[in-house]
Amino acid sequence: MTTLGIAFRPQNPPESLREIARIADESGLEELWIWEDCFFQAGVSTTAAALAWTERVRIGVGVLPVPLRNVALAAMEIATLERMFPGRTIWGVGHGVQEWMGQAGARVESPVTLLSEYIDALRRLLAGERVSVRGRYVELDDVALEWPPVDTPPVLSAATGPRTLRLVGAVADGVVLTSGTTVEKLRGAVELVAEGRAAAGRADKPPVVVNLAVATGADAAERLDADLRAMGATDTAGLGVAGDAQAVADAIAKRVDAGADSVTLQPTADEPDLAGFVRFVAEKVRPLVP
């Protein structure tokens, strides 16, 4: 079965998350994704609150920017929530937007090197290992978690460029793709991740999560186009879907056919009725998606 989720955009005030999380939980949706965009809500604290307010929906973090977070601290945060809410979180990491990293004084010369070192150390810490490394960016001296997760959670990573996609295939447990990914780019990304996987001698297929920008209701096409352009798209052809439940389900099917395992529906930042959007996905779209 294709996994469906929704994204809680950071343009929504933090205090509005409680209602949205509860509706997602009660409606039967599988996943609710949180973004840690600078300089909006923090990912871990928001995730902790969403978990406490809900019973079953899985909370995804897409993604924690690694330049901002010491890997030992990230491991502690993840392990703590995994023990409190076993199996209910999905953890993603990534480069972060380089302009934002520069604003925060955290930009590095080689984001790819940092991500590689970081994912390796994080996965080992979450597996309960005692880790000592001295990399270009990540340094740990005899570090082990006192309360590692009972079951080691997978670590997913965001990726866009070919080099990062191959790296993620090699070192991460899955990939998160942005809403700027067309169906054609999705197919290419899956191939690049597979190349990295094979080069690392890993035979398993990593899960592929893709965001899909969605608008429905009045002026849907105009709102979608404006939202995609505000996120940096210069050509919005093939990106997102505006229309009714069947149109959304058809767009999801195309992405599943291209290799996606999980599709996160991303409302526009100006979505006038976010609670209604969640219900639309759960009640109208979900029954049309196998």
Side-chain angles (χ1 to χ4, degrees):
M1 183 181 77
T2 302
T3 301
L4 276 192
I6 62 160
F8 180 80
R9 297 282 296 273
Q11 289 82 2
N12 298 300
E15 60 269 22
S16 67
L17 175 61
R18 185 171 189 166
E19 177 190 19
I20 300 307
R22 286 183 167 175
I23 293 172
D25 196 48
E26 293 165 2
S27 69
L29 279 178
E30 296 98 279
E31 297 175 355
L32 170 65
W33 283 78
I34 306 295
W35 296 4
E36 186 167 76
D37 277 4
C38 297
F39 297 94
F40 293 93
Q41 298 98 327
V44 176
S45 54
T46 307
T47 297
L51 288 166
W53 290 327
T54 57
E55 297 293 332
R56 44 150 299 279
V57 67
R58 298 187 73 200
I59 309 299
V61 183
V63 295
L64 301 176
V66 300
L68 285 179
R69 291 182 172 275
N70 178 279
V71 69
L73 178 59
M76 291 164 60
E77 299 271 29
I78 293 171
T80 299
L81 289 180
E82 283 291 330
R83 292 189 71 104
M84 290 178 173
F85 303 94
R88 287 198 51 212
T89 49
I90 309 161
W91 297 99
V93 299
H95 294 313
V97 175
Q98 294 307 295
E99 181 182 353
W100 294 340
M101 298 304 99
Q103 285 180 269
R107 189 167 185 167
V108 299
E109 185 178 358
S110 177
V112 172
T113 300
L114 170 58
L115 189 63
S116 177
E117 294 179 357
Y118 196 102
I119 292 174
D120 178 68
L122 182 59
R123 293 179 73 233
R124 292 173 62 192
L125 288 169
L126 293 174
E129 295 183 29
R130 184 169 296 278
V131 182
S132 292
V133 295
R134 193 171 185 83
R136 181 174 177 182
Y137 298 110
V138 174
E139 294 187 15
L140 296 171
D141 182 11
D142 197 33
V143 176
L145 297 175
E146 295 295 336
W147 293 105
V150 175
D151 295 309
T152 306
V155 175
L156 280 63
S157 179
T160 52
R163 188 178 175 196
T164 304
L165 285 163
R166 290 190 182 94
L167 169 68
V168 168
V171 302
D173 298 307
V175 63
V176 179
L177 302 172
T178 72
S179 60
T181 308
T182 63
V183 172
E184 293 74 18
K185 287 183 178 179
L186 173 57
R187 292 186 192 279
V190 171
E191 291 176 1
L192 289 167
V193 169
E195 287 178 14
R197 207 76 165 175
R202 302 177 69 179
D204 59 317
K205 180 188 179 299
V208 175
V209 179
V210 65
N211 285 266
L212 173 62
V214 174
T216 189
D219 304 320
E222 292 81 0
R223 287 175 41 237
L224 178 67
D225 184 74
D227 192 66
L228 289 167
R229 292 185 185 280
M231 290 189 292
T234 55
D235 180 5
T236 61
L239 299 178
V241 56
D244 60 12
Q246 188 62 60
V248 176
D250 290 344
I252 292 169
K254 291 178 182 177
R255 283 151 180 82
V256 171
D257 182 65
D261 301 290
S262 176
V263 181
T264 303
L265 303 186
Q266 174 185 309
T268 59
D270 65 350
E271 168 57 53
D273 180 10
L274 190 55
F277 180 87
V278 179
R279 294 189 179 97
F280 164 75
V281 173
E283 298 170 8
K284 304 295 185 181
V285 178
R286 173 75 272 182
L288 301 176
V289 178

